[in-house]
Amino acid sequence: MTRMKALFSALGVLAGAGLAGLTTAHAAAPGLPASIEKSGTLRICSAVNLPPMEFMNAETRPVGLDIDLGDAIASHLGVKPEWINMPFAGLIPALLASHCDIIMSQLFIKPGRLKVIDEIPYMISHEAVLVKRGKGAVPSLESLSGKKVATVTGTTATVLLKAANKELAGARKKPIDIVMFPENTQALQQLQFGQVAAYGVAYETARYYIHKAP
């Protein structure tokens, strides 16, 4: 934690009320952990499967908003970015095991996460539920009672669906059948193939998928 707090101190220009802010700099910021200063590299863990935040382009290179921001942070600190792609559920364990220096993967800020890592707010977002065209709106998660819903392991959408199941249990209604996948592409395919009734995902990614496949 001391190592991480030293890095976050150097990244203090990013702190804000849910808004991103970045100041350009030409020299390495003071107070970086010794390992980063020595290597000249900022290792960034990300689940590069959440467009438009992070995804692979046609040349299999990571691109997206988080990728741009991570590259800008490294530039601000005067070091080079090294992107480490992994499943979403493995991000925090990788950080705690010092396999990377920071996470850039639209990781929602939660009390439980703050017990083990530090998080700097840089955007405001929320969750969405995707359904196939013509299936009608989803007024509440509880309205998905008894239906299969795809999501990615460890995401906020999964947590919200599990919370909805507690409400359904209290009302003695059928639970949502939560089907978890390691990546968003797999969850989306299950919706497209009609294997699930809905797919819970971050709002920005939902809008992206709607644009690609109305």
Side-chain angles (χ1 to χ4, degrees), residues 17-182:
L19 301 175
L22 188 64
T23 302
T24 57
H26 299 291
L32 284 175
S35 60
I36 297 177
E37 285 194 296
K38 182 178 179 180
S39 67
T41 301
L42 182 68
R43 299 170 302 162
I44 310 173
C45 279
S46 183
V48 190
N49 191 250
L50 189 74
M53 305 303 295
E54 48 266 331
F55 60 104
M56 295 293 185
N57 64 11
E59 290 75 37
T60 64
R61 293 178 57 186
V63 295
L65 188 150
D66 278 343
I67 306 300
D68 290 343
L69 183 55
D71 288 347
I73 290 172
S75 176
H76 174 75
L77 297 176
V79 296
K80 295 181 179 180
E82 177 188 341
W83 288 93
I84 303 171
N85 184 22
M86 63 178 58
F88 188 87
L91 291 173
I92 292 178
L95 181 64
L96 294 176
S98 297
H99 295 320
C100 53
D101 302 305
I102 65 171
I103 294 170
M104 287 295 305
S105 204
Q106 200 181 25
L107 198 67
F108 277 63
I109 297 174
K110 300 177 183 177
R113 288 173 177 168
L114 290 175
K115 291 180 180 179
V116 293
I117 62 173
D118 292 310
E119 294 188 86
I120 298 175
Y122 67 100
M123 68 178 291
I124 296 173
S125 182
H126 55 276
E127 300 295 313
V129 175
L130 279 175
V131 296
K132 296 189 78 171
R133 173 174 280 181
K135 294 297 183 180
V138 179
S140 69
L141 292 181
E142 287 76 17
S143 68
L144 296 169
S145 169
K147 298 180 180 179
K148 286 187 177 181
V149 179
T151 186
V152 171
T153 304
T155 60
T156 297
T158 305
V159 173
L160 294 175
L161 288 166
K162 288 181 178 179
N165 270 347
K166 290 183 179 180
E167 295 293 328
L168 290 169
R172 296 184 179 181
K173 294 182 179 179
K174 290 184 178 180
I176 302 165
D177 185 358
I178 305 171
V179 186
M180 291 181 279
F181 296 89

Side-chain angles (χ1 to χ4, degrees), residues 192-213:
Q192 293 172 321
F193 296 157
Q195 298 300 308
V196 296
Y199 163 35
V201 67
Y203 172 78
E204 293 77 18
T205 300
R207 293 295 302 174
Y208 179 90
Y209 285 151
I210 288 171
H211 176 73
K212 290 290 185 179

